[in-house]
Amino acid sequence: MKKWEIAVLIGFFAVFIILFFSIEQPWQPKTSTVGEWVMINDVGFSVDSVSVDDHLDICFADMNLKTLGYRDYEAGAGWKFVIIDIWFHASESANGSRSFRAGRIEDENGMTYDYYNLPEHDLGYYILADGTPYLGISRYEDHINLPPGKGEFISIAYKMPTNAVPEKFHYWIQTRHREVLLKK
């Protein structure tokens, strides 16, 4: 091989490497922070607040928002609830409904925790099961679909050990994986 051929080959690979690392990698989730408004095509999303509590006061309401009953869920000794409040909006120009699904929360040591499902075996749960759960004024949901032009506040809770420090919240909008940095 001649010197100029080697130089062209090295130049080609140098340009390839520069381009490869300068574009967004599809397997890496995009990252945002608490309070940051994120637009993903025709969907808007933001984590408005993150709080910690040792219990969840859940209100069950019917379709007309008439209260059916309340339940208090305790985290228990050595545990806490990390509560994430979210705003999700499908723009008027969206072609069909848009979906949001909460993923896991990750602590600073890389341990992950799933969304806290309300226990179905609680006495009286079946009476309230027909109602929609609310945490404060927000629906307690880990997955929603919205038609174009609609938006909704939702709350999600994760049960974590008391000494765990939440670092990242993972979620999906449509099929796109994203994450929110919870620590500053």
Side-chain angles (χ1 to χ4, degrees):
M1 205 178 244
K2 295 181 182 174
K3 287 183 180 181
W4 70 270
E5 290 173 325
I6 294 172
V8 168
L9 195 57
I10 290 171
F12 172 76
F13 282 114
V15 169
F16 174 76
I17 289 171
I18 290 169
L19 289 176
F20 180 77
F21 287 107
S22 66
I23 61 171
E24 179 183 322
Q25 305 302 324
W27 56 85
Q28 293 291 332
K30 280 198 168 201
T31 303
S32 60
T33 58
V34 175
E36 182 179 349
W37 180 253
V38 177
M39 281 300 291
I40 303 167
N41 295 335
D42 48 11
V43 174
F45 170 87
S46 72
V47 169
D48 290 338
S49 67
V50 179
S51 59
V52 175
D53 208 332
D54 61 350
H55 69 281
L56 298 175
D57 291 322
I58 302 292
C59 171
F60 291 86
D62 66 11
M63 297 288 286
N64 299 319
L65 298 179
K66 179 183 175 208
T67 300
L68 300 175
Y70 293 91
R71 276 269 179 241
D72 187 35
Y73 297 91
E74 296 291 329
W79 294 90
K80 66 183 175 184
F81 288 115
V82 176
I83 303 161
I84 299 176
D85 296 316
I86 294 168
W87 170 249
F88 177 70
H89 181 266
S91 74
E92 293 279 343
S93 62
N95 186 11
S97 67
R98 296 294 179 246
S99 66
F100 164 84
R101 184 172 61 85
R104 295 178 174 202
I105 195 170
E106 184 178 335
D107 71 14
E108 65 183 1
N109 296 318
M111 295 293 296
T112 58
Y113 304 88
D114 286 326
Y115 157 78
Y116 181 73
N117 284 308
L118 302 177
E120 293 182 19
H121 63 276
D122 284 352
L123 181 62
Y125 178 83
Y126 294 106
I127 296 169
L128 304 175
D130 290 336
T132 302
Y134 286 83
L135 180 59
I137 61 168
S138 302
R139 257 182 34 192
Y140 186 78
E141 294 286 339
D142 70 328
H143 182 267
I144 60 171
N145 284 309
L146 292 177
K150 297 294 181 186
E152 188 159 347
F153 285 102
I154 63 170
S155 292
I156 303 164
Y158 294 85
K159 190 173 178 180
M160 301 176 72
T162 305
N163 62 348
V165 178
E167 184 174 51
K168 294 178 187 175
F169 166 64
H170 297 270
Y171 66 95
W172 281 261
I173 291 182
Q174 296 302 99
T175 58
R176 294 194 172 129
H177 176 215
R178 306 292 173 124
E179 63 186 22
V180 177
L181 296 177
L182 303 175
K183 285 177 44 176
K184 290 191 179 196

